[in-house]
Amino acid sequence: DAGVIQSPRHEVTEMGQEVTLRCKPISGHNSLFWYRQTMMRGLELLIYFNNNVPIDDSGMPEDRFSAKMPNASFSTLKIQPSEPRDSAVYFCASSFNTGALQPQHFGDGTRLSIL
Amino acid sequence: QKEVEQNSGPLSVPEGAIASLNCTYSDRGSQSFFWYRQYSGKSPELIMFIYSNGDKEDGRFTAQLNKASQYVSLLIRDSQPSDSATYLCAVKGDTGKLIFGQGTTLQVKP
């Protein structure tokens, strides 16, 4: 079975540019999560969706970040304008639902470098 | 106080030994507890999870949970060099969100 698929795997761009990260969750999973990982702050939850609806975006750093889930098989995380401090690895994860016994499965991540 | 705390390590053990990784959490309402392994440059990979007090075994891995002490641990028996990685403890409460610790780096020396 295909796991969580993220694209691109690597992105290098200059500050001020728009960045769009993409995620396809595991088929049948109704919950989708966007995380950011840095050495300093570890793995942080940015936002999560349940049945395509954003449930909690309290981890989104600021208005430059936005996320959408137009359908059950696709989500995007957009940064506009990007800044060097946004450089990190961004992971998407999905789970069957948000129940206590439902684990999250991670994609391979997007390594983002903002110059 | 951080919500989920782990010793960053590195924890170094010889091949064949038992590695013991520990995690404490602050929210008494936490319902389930997950251990992920993350190799350098890779994504977190689920090892196992536990939700009841006591031990849960899966192959060489044993998760232990003590809700009264707000403590969860992961034991790796017969440690192998391939077990060298960062181990992330994650805790889930009634919000459905996973809160991750900073991770413990394990080094298994041949």
Side-chain angles (χ1 to χ4, degrees):
Chain A
D1 288 342
V4 176
I5 299 173
Q6 292 186 247
S7 64
R9 290 294 307 278
H10 303 273
E11 175 89 11
V12 180
T13 192
E14 295 188 345
M15 66 177 295
Q17 298 298 305
E18 178 179 291
V19 173
T20 300
L21 311 181
R22 297 172 176 81
C23 176
K24 175 179 170 57
I26 293 172
S27 177
H29 280 192
N30 298 310
S31 301
L32 183 140
F33 306 80
W34 282 102
Y35 290 89
R36 178 173 67 177
Q37 187 175 40
T38 61
M39 288 292 291
M40 288 295 295
R41 300 176 66 90
L43 198 58
E44 301 174 283
L45 178 66
L46 300 177
I47 185 171
Y48 79 94
F49 296 82
N50 219 25
N51 295 318
N52 312 338
V53 175
I55 302 300
D56 186 336
D57 66 354
S58 59
M60 295 286 261
E62 48 197 273
D63 291 346
R64 297 184 297 105
F65 285 69
S66 62
K68 293 182 179 179
M69 191 163 187
N71 58 61
S73 58
F74 184 67
S75 177
T76 60
L77 177 68
K78 188 173 292 187
I79 308 173
Q80 167 63 19
S82 57
E83 296 182 5
R85 62 192 167 120
D86 301 330
S87 298
V89 181
Y90 290 80
F91 289 106
C92 177
S94 72
S95 63
F96 183 69
N97 57 43
T98 57
L101 304 186
Q102 295 299 325
Q104 294 176 19
H105 300 274
F106 284 75
D108 289 337
T110 295
R111 188 171 296 274
L112 178 63
S113 296
I114 308 297
L115 307 177
Chain B
Q1 181 189 7
K2 292 182 181 177
E3 294 184 69
V4 180
E5 296 211 41
Q6 297 180 254
N7 188 322
S8 61
L11 172 66
S12 184
V13 301
E15 183 176 355
I18 296 175
S20 177
L21 304 158
N22 305 315
C23 172
T24 58
Y25 59 95
S26 59
D27 182 1
R28 281 199 172 275
S30 299
Q31 299 178 350
S32 51
F33 308 85
F34 299 77
W35 283 100
Y36 285 82
R37 176 177 62 200
Q38 187 174 25
Y39 292 112
S40 180
K42 301 296 185 182
S43 62
E45 172 193 12
L46 179 70
I47 298 175
M48 62 190 306
F49 67 94
I50 187 169
Y51 57 92
S52 299
N53 272 333
D55 296 0
K56 179 181 179 182
E57 187 174 315
D58 184 359
R60 295 187 296 113
F61 299 95
T62 299
Q64 299 176 318
L65 174 61
N66 184 325
K67 288 188 176 181
S69 300
Q70 295 175 243
Y71 178 91
V72 58
S73 64
L74 179 70
L75 302 178
I76 306 175
R77 289 182 299 281
D78 189 23
S79 296
Q80 301 297 308
S82 58
D83 294 327
S84 298
T86 296
Y87 289 80
L88 299 166
C89 171
V91 175
K92 185 184 285 194
D94 56 8
T95 65
K97 297 194 295 187
L98 272 182
I99 308 298
F100 283 84
Q102 286 282 86
T104 298
T105 299
L106 173 66
Q107 297 175 346
V108 181
K109 297 188 180 290

